[in-house]
Amino acid sequence: MNSYVREANKSDRSKIYSVEEMAFGEIDEAVLVEKLVADPTSQPTVSLLAFDDDEAVGHILFTKGGLTSAGEELSIMILGPLAVIPDYQKRGIGGQLIEEGLHRLREAKTDLVFVLGHIEYYPRHGFKPALPLGFLPPYPTKKGLEDAWMVLDLSKEGKLDRYSGQVQCAEAFMLPEYW
């Protein structure tokens, strides 16, 4: 397997759509990615594709977020969706995408990254439950999945204990069905 990760560009639209659809077995996430990439309120984004040789096998998207109580002084990104096609799952592709994305976000001086995701997977990459730290999702999470709303502090100053509030996302993401 000759795998690598690179930044996605406009010509990768069909590859991204295909990866998202195959990974989730439906088009909902693929449509969401298209909406997020086109949404000016999600900018700047970090969109990465993972390849095995020339085949796109994974995709991750980070979009701009905000915190109701912090204004512009805090740089926040939202991770999601993360997609790996079924034949390539459990091979480290998702982890490669997450780590490369977090590396780029550190370089861009991003402070906090939020995700609504699998409670056993994302903590492997440093994420921890956000609700106990005072960070509310855009909409209440489903009962029993409160720990799935997670945060990772990328700042060198440790900003988790200095802020709290409700996280805001790009307009395309601000719909209750995503939460």
Side-chain angles (χ1 to χ4, degrees):
M1 184 166 96
N2 181 24
S3 65
Y4 62 95
V5 173
R6 71 161 171 79
E7 190 166 342
N9 57 53
K10 290 184 193 234
S11 68
D12 291 321
R13 182 176 174 260
S14 64
K15 289 180 180 99
I16 293 168
Y17 197 95
S18 177
V19 166
E20 295 286 343
E21 184 178 9
M22 285 192 292
F24 291 102
E26 60 185 20
I27 63 166
D28 294 355
E29 283 79 7
V31 171
L32 172 61
V33 167
E34 286 190 337
K35 288 179 182 176
L36 285 168
V37 169
D39 184 346
T41 66
S42 72
Q43 304 300 321
T45 64
V46 173
S47 180
L48 302 173
L49 272 170
F51 287 85
D52 180 25
D53 292 322
D54 292 331
E55 181 185 3
V57 297
H59 177 254
I60 194 169
L61 182 65
F62 297 86
T63 54
K64 183 180 178 181
L67 192 63
T68 54
S69 62
E72 293 296 318
E73 65 193 59
L74 198 62
S75 173
I76 293 175
M77 296 294 278
I78 311 296
L79 186 168
L82 167 62
V84 177
I85 64 173
D87 288 348
Y88 286 84
Q89 291 176 4
K90 302 196 185 306
R91 294 189 188 185
I93 302 288
Q96 286 179 323
L97 286 163
I98 291 169
E99 292 307 318
E100 179 62 25
L102 295 177
H103 171 75
R104 291 171 185 239
L105 294 177
R106 278 185 194 94
E107 286 184 343
K109 307 284 190 255
T110 300
D111 295 311
L112 303 177
V113 180
F114 289 88
V115 66
L116 180 64
H118 196 279
I119 59 176
E120 293 176 14
Y121 181 73
Y122 288 97
R124 292 185 223 160
H125 300 281
F127 287 86
K128 56 178 128 185
L131 285 175
L133 300 170
F135 295 102
L136 303 174
Y139 290 91
T141 56
K142 294 178 178 94
K143 191 80 173 151
L145 295 177
E146 294 87 355
D147 284 350
W149 175 240
M150 292 175 262
V151 62
L152 175 63
D153 188 348
L154 295 180
S155 71
K156 293 183 176 154
E157 304 85 32
K159 297 198 175 183
L160 283 179
D161 57 349
R162 297 189 358 224
Y163 292 92
S164 63
Q166 186 169 35
V167 174
Q168 300 295 306
C169 302
E171 289 177 15
F173 228 161
M174 287 295 292
L175 298 170
E177 57 264 30
Y178 297 129
W179 305 96

